[in-house]
Amino acid sequence: MESKIVAKRKTVGLIDWDEVVKHAVECGVSDKNEVNQAVQFLHELGAVQHFQSEFLKSKVVINPQWIVDVMACVVSVKHSPIKDGKLLHSDMPTIWKQYPADLHPWLLRLTEEYDLTFPLKDEPANMVPCLLPDKEPEYEWHDVSNQAGVRETKMRYKFDYLPAGLFNRSQVRLYQFSDKSVIWKNGSLLRKNGHLALLKQYRGEHVEVKVQGPRPENILFMIHEVIEGLIAESFHGVDYDFLVPCLDCMKSSTTEPCMFPASKIHRATELKAPFLQCDKFFHTLSITELHAIMPPDSSTDFDIHLERTVRDLQDLHQDLSYDACFVFCAADVPKYGEEMKKVSPKRLRDDLIKDGLKVWFSEDLSNVHIENVAVAMKDSEFVVICISNDYIKDEHCSNIFYYAKQTLHKKIILVVLGEGLQWQQTNLGILVSSDVFVNMQNITRYDNKIKELISAVRTRSDGANKPKVFPKCFISYCWGNSKDAVDKGTRKQEGALGWGDPRGIKTFLEKEGIPCWMDVEQVGKRGLFEDIAEGLRHAKVLVACVSDEYARSKSCQMEFRFAVSTLKIPLVLVVVGTGYQWELSEIGMLSLGSPKISFQYENPTAYDRLLKAVRVLHPKEEEIKAEILQREQQTAEAKANAFHELLELAQRKFLRQVSQYADSMEKKQYPRLFVIDLLKKDEIHKVLEVPENKTSKS
């Protein structure tokens, strides 16, 4: 069979699959499966090239040089119609003019199979990374230090020799995430689930990957597997080391963190060294911490990764739970012009969110699969159902109701919308005949009824999912300037105590209706600097109680610099203590032009002036509620993306472990199937029990 096929190389380089089958039959191979196995065997030997994808499997390449010639037509720089790396489909007749026109789509797909090109989503063209411009385009890469819930991490690869084509093929493998406006010969910008990644080759033998987002580790690991997989497939013998960043450097928002080579971490593990020290800022990190941010390579590594990932998934799942699942029928949404006559379910939903409840909702349930609604209901304390005659008529909505009531046995709060109460006479109405409902059919009574609904909701909610509200006024001070702190044990410093006490200033502002952030009440949840940074990110005005002691404190300097220089928070200066040297320091320079009130010596007007200055900068209550609503919606989306990425990371690591186990098996049986089932302890005995009158077969 091989001889018959190879003999055709003199005239053609490509033949149809049907012709291969014909030659196989002539050689006594007629079974379809046997033909497939024979061709696959010849493919592995290199005699032919056959691809298993649905589009390409109709033909077989019988001359390897033919593939080289096809690819050369694309990468040729002489009189090529490909400009800036973009292969327009309309140019295929020019590029492959010596090949039949009906073969051109097949040739294009062949270039994709060999990672030479990738298709663009919104135009009839393919991108050819190796022909892209050398010049790096302009793009935005934001500082994540002032973005709540967003982290940045990176990985750097150092090759002894970086083969031509490896980097560009990596770009092709990642094309589905590429931003086509930011891609060049030596780099790509990638976007995935609210994450941003930059893949860049520099100095010839180095590749760097940077990722920003709620859970950047999965994107980093995905890119690592692409590079690792390409080397295993096509670049055997290529040696490289990858470097991971110092975690403490990344937390401090350093642009150039210390990078630990993986080889150094593995060597430290072999020597049982418990720690490694950062070369730049002398941070000390445990080996376990460093292994947790590296791709797992052994069973021990996998155990560490799996334990950490499951813990993170549990924490994120808790964050993603809701107080209420809000369900309504699209037919009950008032049409244009009816907004003043009928109560809109969307208005109800918004008022519940404004009251501080965490609510799941969908604009149109008819487009949401019932399984997604079921998950939301499971993760909610109770379900708010806007029931009406139209709701009952909608089969999808009725199924959701029955599932919540009869399957999940959830606590249900009914809100009556629309006109009439005919729904009470239906089977669904009978199920809730004893339940109390809030009647929202009369829009003129809305204000009273919304209070009734909120009261009903509050009695059923434990408030576990109520979003955290951050004070908008942040008070920054040195403990040495507070008499209250000194009385409670802080070391007293000469000249540090003046007339005003920063903690007393907080008490005064809160009595006037301005909630304040102060360290003694807010820190200790995640870590001192993390809590301070989180409080500053949500602040709208900074009251800095400056003094000589404040200017000498490194912690106060860092806090002030982060608030004023990085976050640009409006500033009100409160001068405390008794000295004036702070005016000559960095604090004094950065605060030039800001309102300043002296609390050093008794000043009858000081408190009133401070209150007036803070109120000018402090947002109104309505603005705060609107911001909370917007932040909750954005946070919910970010957490959902983070959960998805973390779950994908867990799956990716698990499959990596399974494949490593498969490769280590002595018996190379094929196919191999791994089946893993997780059961509760009390279920195991039920599964293993065999009735006395039955025979167990295996």
Side-chain angles (χ1 to χ4, degrees):
M1 178 179 167
E2 180 184 3
S3 298
K4 285 180 175 291
I5 293 174
V6 171
K8 286 186 166 291
R9 288 182 180 176
K10 297 178 181 179
T11 56
V12 294
L14 183 75
I15 60 175
D16 291 333
W17 175 257
D18 292 340
E19 190 172 349
V20 173
V21 173
K22 179 183 175 182
H23 290 309
V25 172
E26 291 172 354
C27 297
V29 183
S30 56
D31 183 77
K32 181 180 178 181
N33 290 330
E34 290 181 351
V35 174
N36 280 323
Q37 291 177 13
V39 173
Q40 184 61 32
F41 179 68
L42 293 176
H43 173 89
E44 292 174 358
L45 289 177
V48 301
Q49 292 292 313
H50 183 241
F51 307 96
Q52 298 298 319
S53 66
E54 194 65 31
F55 191 84
L56 295 176
K57 67 181 183 180
S58 62
K59 299 182 185 298
V60 179
V61 179
I62 61 174
N63 187 351
Q65 182 60 41
W66 184 88
I67 295 179
V68 175
D69 295 339
V70 168
M71 301 301 166
C73 293
V74 177
V75 298
S76 174
V77 295
K78 292 183 179 180
H79 310 295
S80 175
I82 301 174
K83 304 299 180 185
D84 294 331
K86 188 178 291 187
L87 189 162
L88 300 176
H89 293 177
S90 58
D91 288 330
M92 287 194 294
T94 304
I95 295 170
W96 289 305
K97 57 186 177 183
Q98 67 267 46
Y99 299 93
D102 60 349
L103 189 61
H104 292 171
W106 195 91
L107 297 179
L108 184 66
R109 194 65 63 88
L110 186 66
T111 65
E112 296 172 13
E113 184 72 22
Y114 276 97
D115 298 325
L116 182 64
T117 76
F118 65 85
L120 298 177
K121 298 176 183 177
D122 52 358
E123 60 179 307
N126 275 41
M127 191 68 79
V128 189
C130 65
L131 297 181
L132 285 166
D134 292 324
K135 185 179 179 182
E136 184 173 349
E138 294 184 1
Y139 55 88
E140 289 187 349
W141 188 263
H142 298 289
D143 179 9
V144 300
S145 61
N146 58 353
Q147 299 182 49
V150 178
R151 295 184 290 110
E152 180 174 319
T153 187
K154 66 167 64 177
M155 190 179 286
R156 192 173 293 154
Y157 297 85
K158 185 177 180 181
F159 291 84
D160 292 342
Y161 164 69
L162 183 59
L166 174 57
F167 183 80
N168 293 137
R169 288 184 67 181
S170 300
Q171 289 177 295
V172 174
R173 292 279 175 101
L174 295 163
Y175 80 89
Q176 59 184 312
F177 309 114
S178 294
D179 182 337
K180 72 167 190 176
S181 64
V182 187
I183 182 170
W184 68 105
K185 192 172 184 177
N186 296 317
S188 295
L189 191 68
L190 312 176
R191 300 180 187 275
K192 183 177 186 290
N193 279 342
H195 292 72
L196 201 62
L198 182 65
L199 177 66
K200 188 175 178 181
Q201 178 185 352
Y202 66 101
R203 293 209 304 268
E205 315 302 327
H206 295 76
V207 174
E208 184 174 83
V209 183
K210 295 195 295 183
V211 188
Q212 295 180 349
R215 291 282 171 174
E217 294 83 7
N218 182 48
I219 313 296
L220 201 66
F221 191 22
M222 177 186 73
I223 296 172
H224 177 79
E225 286 200 322
V226 167
I227 295 174
E228 188 180 54
L230 276 170
I231 291 173
E233 288 174 26
S234 308
F235 299 95
H236 301 286
V238 171
D239 291 324
Y240 70 97
D241 197 4
F242 64 89
L243 297 85
V244 295
C246 167
L247 295 173
D248 288 345
C249 287
M250 297 302 290
K251 286 179 182 177
S252 62
S253 302
T254 305
T255 54
E256 289 297 330
C258 170
M259 302 295 290
F260 291 100
S263 56
K264 185 176 182 179
I265 297 171
H266 290 312
R267 179 62 176 159
T269 304
E270 292 173 6
L271 297 176
K272 299 186 179 343
F275 304 101
L276 281 178
Q277 193 170 49
C278 159
D279 294 334
K280 288 195 173 183
F281 300 97
F282 304 101
H283 300 130
T284 301
L285 285 88
S286 70
I287 295 297
T288 303
E289 282 183 287
L290 292 169
H291 272 294
I293 61 174
M294 293 170 59
D297 287 323
S298 66
S299 297
T300 305
D301 291 345
F302 176 73
D303 290 341
I304 295 171
H305 280 254
L306 185 61
E307 181 180 346
R308 179 179 178 181
T309 304
V310 170
R311 184 174 64 249
D312 289 345
L313 278 170
Q314 290 172 337
D315 292 342
L316 255 181
H317 185 266
Q318 180 64 35
D319 287 341
L320 286 168
S321 59
Y322 301 92
D323 290 312
C325 176
F326 191 89
V327 179
F328 62 92
C329 178
D332 288 319
V333 177
K335 296 180 176 61
Y336 181 76
E338 295 180 345
E339 294 87 349
M340 303 305 294
K341 299 176 183 178
K342 295 170 63 177
V343 174
S344 171
K346 296 181 181 181
R347 181 181 177 187
L348 290 171
R349 173 203 68 196
D350 292 344
D351 283 340
L352 290 176
I353 295 174
K354 286 179 182 177
D355 194 63
L357 288 168
K358 195 173 179 184
V359 179
W360 181 94
F361 63 91
S362 173
E363 295 289 347
D364 185 2
L365 281 177
S366 62
N367 292 325
V368 181
H369 198 281
I370 193 168
E371 290 183 4
N372 295 333
V373 183
V375 171
M377 288 194 291
K378 286 179 181 178
D379 291 338
S380 301
E381 273 193 77
F382 52 87
V383 182
V384 177
I385 295 181
C386 297
I387 199 164
S388 67
N389 295 334
D390 287 323
Y391 186 96
I392 299 298
K393 295 174 185 176
D394 190 305
E395 183 181 358
H396 189 63
C397 291
S398 296
N399 289 338
I400 290 172
F401 178 91
Y402 286 124
Y403 186 79
K405 184 74 175 178
Q406 296 181 314
T407 304
L408 297 181
H409 304 290
K410 300 295 290 188
K411 293 181 287 185
I412 293 177
I413 299 175
L414 291 178
V415 178
V416 182
L417 296 179
E419 298 177 357
L421 299 173
Q422 286 83 1
W423 59 269
Q424 290 181 315
Q425 310 304 319
T426 65
N427 293 338
L428 189 150
I430 295 172
L431 283 175
V432 295
S433 58
S434 60
D435 292 355
V436 178
F437 57 79
V438 180
N439 193 322
M440 286 281 189
Q441 292 179 320
N442 187 349
I443 195 170
T444 60
R445 300 185 61 195
Y446 181 83
D447 291 341
N448 290 328
K449 288 296 180 178
I450 190 62
K451 292 178 182 177
E452 183 181 336
L453 174 61
I454 290 173
S455 176
V457 166
R458 287 297 178 200
T459 57
R460 288 166 174 77
S461 172
D462 60 10
N465 297 316
K466 186 173 181 180
K468 182 178 179 181
V469 178
F470 290 88
K472 301 302 175 187
C473 179
F474 188 103
I475 297 182
S476 175
Y477 72 107
C478 175
W479 281 31
N481 296 127
S482 170
K483 185 176 184 303
D484 179 72
V486 171
D487 290 343
K488 292 178 179 177
T490 298
R491 183 175 63 87
K492 186 175 182 179
Q493 303 176 51
E494 185 177 351
L497 296 179
W499 173 65
D501 186 332
R503 295 185 181 180
I505 290 171
K506 172 189 176 293
T507 302
F508 166 76
L509 289 174
E510 292 192 331
K511 283 182 179 179
E512 296 296 331
I514 298 177
C516 298
W517 194 102
M518 184 168 269
D519 53 7
V520 289
E521 297 173 352
Q522 302 287 345
V523 298
K525 298 175 179 64
R526 295 190 303 169
L528 177 62
F529 295 110
E530 287 84 353
D531 289 331
I532 290 173
E534 185 179 38
L536 283 170
R537 287 191 189 101
H538 291 89
K540 297 298 182 184
V541 55
L542 174 70
V543 175
C545 299
V546 297
S547 65
D548 291 353
E549 293 73 28
Y550 186 96
R552 288 195 294 265
S553 168
K554 291 184 178 180
S555 297
C556 292
Q557 289 175 27
M558 183 171 64
E559 186 177 302
F560 188 88
R561 195 180 300 119
F562 181 64
V564 176
S565 299
T566 304
L567 300 181
K568 312 294 185 186
I569 301 174
L571 173 66
V572 176
L573 284 179
V574 170
V575 185
V576 294
T578 58
Y580 297 96
Q581 294 301 311
W582 66 269
E583 294 179 341
L584 305 177
S585 68
E586 181 187 6
I587 302 296
M589 182 183 67
L590 291 175
S591 60
L592 288 173
S594 300
K596 181 170 64 175
I597 301 111
S598 176
F599 277 74
Q600 290 184 311
Y601 303 100
E602 188 171 348
N603 183 352
T605 64
Y607 282 101
D608 290 337
R609 289 174 58 204
L610 172 62
L611 180 61
K612 184 178 179 180
V614 170
R615 278 182 173 161
V616 169
L617 301 171
H618 195 272
K620 304 294 187 293
E621 185 177 353
E622 295 78 13
E623 295 174 354
I624 294 175
K625 287 185 177 180
E627 182 186 335
I628 291 172
L629 175 61
Q630 182 183 15
R631 191 176 73 242
E632 276 304 300
Q633 292 171 343
Q634 293 173 343
T635 302
E637 181 181 356
K639 286 182 178 178
N641 287 338
F643 186 83
H644 177 83
E645 289 300 325
L646 192 57
L647 183 59
E648 186 179 307
L649 178 62
Q651 294 168 340
R652 199 181 297 279
K653 291 178 178 178
F654 177 73
L655 288 174
R656 184 184 180 94
Q657 179 71 5
V658 170
S659 64
Q660 287 178 354
Y661 174 71
D663 291 340
S664 67
M665 292 175 64
E666 293 182 4
K667 295 180 180 180
K668 300 292 183 180
Q669 296 176 350
Y670 182 87
R672 290 170 299 200
L673 178 65
F674 293 87
V675 180
I676 298 175
D677 197 5
L678 303 179
L679 297 175
K680 295 180 180 178
K681 288 183 179 179
D682 57 347
E683 294 177 341
I684 295 176
H685 299 292
K686 294 179 183 178
V687 174
L688 296 178
E689 283 177 359
V690 179
E692 294 180 0
N693 60 344
K694 291 188 178 181
T695 303
S696 176
K697 296 181 179 180
S698 60

